[in-house]
Amino acid sequence: MRRVQPPFCARARRAGLVVLLALGLLASVVHARAQDAPPTVDDARAFLDAAEAALLDAYVANGRAQWALATYIIHDTQIMAAAANQRVIALAVRLAKEATRFDGLDLPADAARRMQMLKLALTAPAPSNPADTAEMATIMADLSSTYSRSRTCAEPSNPATCPDLGALSYTIATSRDEAALRAAWTGWRTVSPAMRDDYARYVELGNAGARALGFADLGAMWRAKYDMDPDAFAAELDRLWTQVAPLYEALHCHVRARLARHYGTDVVDPTGPIPAHLLGNMWAQQWSSIYDLVAPRGRDTSIDLTQLLARNGVDARGMVRYGERFFTSLGFDPLPESFWQRSMFTRPADRDVVCHASAWNVDYVDDLRIKMCIQITGDDFITVHHELGHNVYQRAYSDLPLLYRDSANDGFHEAIGDTVALSITPAYLVDVGLLRRAPKRRGGDVAQLMRLALDKIAFLPFGLLIDQWRWQVFAGDATPATYNDAWWALRTRYQGVAPPTARPADAFDPGAKYHVPASVPYARYFLATILQFQFHQALCETAGVEGPLHRCSIYGNDAAGEKLRTMLSMGASRPWPDALEVITGTRTMDAQPILDYFAPLQAWLDAQNADRTCGW
């Protein structure tokens, strides 16, 4: 997302005038083309230029409205955000339809690529009917704000009995009381049934909008954004999953055995799916919070980053400074002063906000911001680097034409900050003064690798299945009546997890995950987990770092930084294999680097699981 500020009325009038001028130019271009058919290449280029000018102003206005909603959730900001989003949807749908008039024209490669990206600019297109567009925008604003403002109340009249997601997630992460975990898990899922009807209508409208643009459904439109046939993209995800599934299954087998030992086999079936409430995360997507239950026995030489941050008195702003210094060590410019003035680093005490971490460039140039409710934890230290990776990428491509101001594919955008975070090694922590000395290595770093695998490897099937579920929904293979059954079928198939209780008939458990009501495609996160290790391996080779991949840090390395800057500056101007080749020398995504990184852990897990029954 992106976003800007000041004299709102004056800026709004100026933005409105620019939009009108751009739309006027656009209308004249289309009119001229209609009068002088067939259209020419010059007509197409003029159309694209006018379209980008109109979109830029609409995007910036929408970004300001969405920032206001995300950082100050009240009735009025919901209305403003819905109205701004409605204008973007209406404009983008109209432009995408106008772009189809140039389909028969033999365009230069650059113009053809921009034209295709214009057609794919929206995540959730609505039919061009103004009423449908308004309804889509309202539904999307309502779904997002409903999620963010939800509480689950034991006594609705007593606010003290109404914990929010943060409080419930803390219980899931820290408690070892099965009943308390079950109550927190089921409590959060009482907020999502109210979303189901709105979500079903969103699917109807989104599908109608996608079909108007020539796609079979909204899922096919999402998959078309990867410079390959939509079905080929789905097959590519399956190929990558096949590479990493054995490592995940080995981790699952070990974790299940340890949980069965702790909670008893009456709670955890030693041969079945793991109950989802026991894995330390509200969605069982990352398992690092249960490290104490599954850690290798013997002396633990892993590093607890949360303890290090507390010991060094690091506050929220200080965590962001560490992230900024990592990127500047690679040759990137410091963040602009406006970043520090306009970002939201902590939860305000006086209002509802969307705490889900996100990175913004409001003006699509350098009004960079992050929005987080930062906790002083190792997880949030990594998340800060992840979000700053977005900001660095946004700035790197900001001088390209608007339709290229994006990543090579959305997995690239999610991977950059996490690639850098893989260099947060013990040696790095010593270099920046957070750690006095690196611990002596024992057991092949298995303990440290286990900590990371509980985040990265545990996440892989979850990163895959959310869009698998949505593709079923968009295709009509899962209906509102079967939304929840389809959700748990996929979670069992890929993750080997199951709900702790029978789910009620009105359950809408997918809605309890932010990215579903917020309409954020999720395959990007699966791809990012694969890509970050591929990037890390290539950058470590560029930096000339020898030794095991998991001990490599590129902090302060000019050669690695130059290669990374070159790739980021390409934005979306070239197909993603071109960008991948700049860093890795190959044009194919590959999960082998993640297997290389965790090879010592895989060997250890195989030994631990020798006498266990794995699978589910």
Side-chain angles (χ1 to χ4, degrees), residues 187-269:
W188 178 242
R189 282 154 183 80
T190 64
V191 309
S192 51
M195 303 178 193
R196 189 175 67 174
D197 289 347
D198 275 351
Y199 191 80
R201 180 59 177 157
Y202 153 83
V203 171
E204 291 177 5
L205 291 169
N207 274 343
R211 290 178 187 126
L213 297 176
F215 298 96
D217 55 47
L218 192 53
M221 181 176 172
W222 286 9
R223 295 191 299 276
K225 296 184 179 185
Y226 292 92
D227 295 308
M228 56 200 308
D229 179 82
D231 290 340
F233 175 68
E236 178 72 351
L237 295 185
D238 288 339
R239 180 186 68 82
L240 293 168
W241 170 244
T242 299
Q243 281 188 277
V244 296
L247 177 55
Y248 175 78
E249 290 167 4
L251 180 66
H252 179 283
C253 190
H254 172 71
V255 167
R256 181 179 60 192
R258 289 291 185 86
L259 291 176
R261 179 177 299 169
H262 181 80
Y263 290 105
T265 55
D266 57 329
V267 175
V268 181
D269 180 349

Side-chain angles (χ1 to χ4, degrees), residues 8 19 184 197 232 239 263 330 371 378 398 417 474-475 481 503 524:
F8 176 76
V19 169
D197 289 347
R239 180 186 68 82
Y263 290 105
L330 298 175
K371 175 188 60 60
S398 62
F474 296 147
R503 305 305 296 137
R524 63 183 64 178

Side-chain angles (χ1 to χ4, degrees), residues 360-603:
W360 305 58
N361 185 2
V362 178
D363 65 355
Y364 282 67
V365 182
D366 63 357
D367 189 359
L368 307 171
R369 310 178 192 183
I370 64 170
K371 175 188 60 60
M372 285 183 66
C373 299
I374 297 174
Q375 303 292 315
I376 311 305
T377 66
D379 285 346
D380 274 13
F381 191 77
I382 302 300
T383 300
V384 163
H385 287 73
H386 174 91
E387 299 305 336
L388 293 185
H390 287 301
N391 287 147
V392 166
Y393 211 159
Q394 289 162 343
R395 181 188 257 180
Y397 55 59
S398 62
D399 61 347
L400 296 176
L402 178 67
L403 291 167
Y404 291 158
R405 294 183 204 178
D406 205 343
S407 56
N409 70 41
D410 53 11
F412 279 63
H413 229 312
E414 300 299 334
I416 298 306
D418 286 349
T419 298
V420 165
L422 290 175
S423 288
I424 300 175
T425 62
Y428 161 78
L429 295 172
V430 172
D431 285 345
V432 298
L434 285 173
L435 185 65
R436 290 182 59 190
R437 67 179 65 88
K440 293 181 180 179
R441 301 183 181 117
R442 291 182 173 84
D445 299 329
V446 166
Q448 193 70 39
L449 288 170
M450 174 65 82
R451 279 191 184 274
L452 190 60
L454 292 171
D455 276 340
K456 302 292 187 181
I457 304 306
F459 175 77
L460 285 165
F462 189 79
L464 187 67
L465 70 87
I466 287 189
D467 279 355
Q468 297 275 10
W469 176 79
R470 280 191 284 207
W471 296 344
Q472 289 185 13
V473 169
F474 296 147
D477 297 330
T479 65
T482 62
Y483 279 171
N484 225 52
D485 290 342
W487 173 255
W488 284 108
L490 287 168
R491 297 203 65 184
T492 301
R493 174 186 170 188
Y494 285 105
Q495 274 190 291
V497 303
T501 60
R503 305 305 296 137
D506 68 342
F508 181 50
D509 294 337
K513 174 61 180 170
Y514 169 81
H515 298 75
V516 172
S519 189
V520 178
Y522 213 77
R524 63 183 64 178
Y525 300 106
F526 174 80
L527 293 176
T529 308
I530 301 296
L531 286 168
Q532 65 191 256
F533 288 91
Q534 196 171 359
F535 292 162
H536 180 64
Q537 184 180 68
L539 292 173
C540 288
E541 291 172 356
T542 298
V545 179
E546 298 181 352
L549 186 57
H550 63 270
R551 293 179 189 163
C552 166
S553 178
I554 63 168
Y555 179 72
N557 188 274
D558 290 337
E562 182 179 1
K563 185 168 282 191
L564 185 59
R565 294 195 305 275
T566 299
M567 190 275 281
L568 298 187
S569 68
M570 295 169 64
S573 65
R574 303 287 299 166
W576 65 260
D578 292 358
L580 181 65
E581 189 173 22
V582 167
I583 286 189
T584 68
T586 181
R587 300 176 62 81
T588 304
M589 291 184 285
D590 185 14
Q592 188 58 47
I594 199 171
L595 302 178
D596 294 343
Y597 189 100
F598 287 102
L601 178 64
Q602 175 80 69

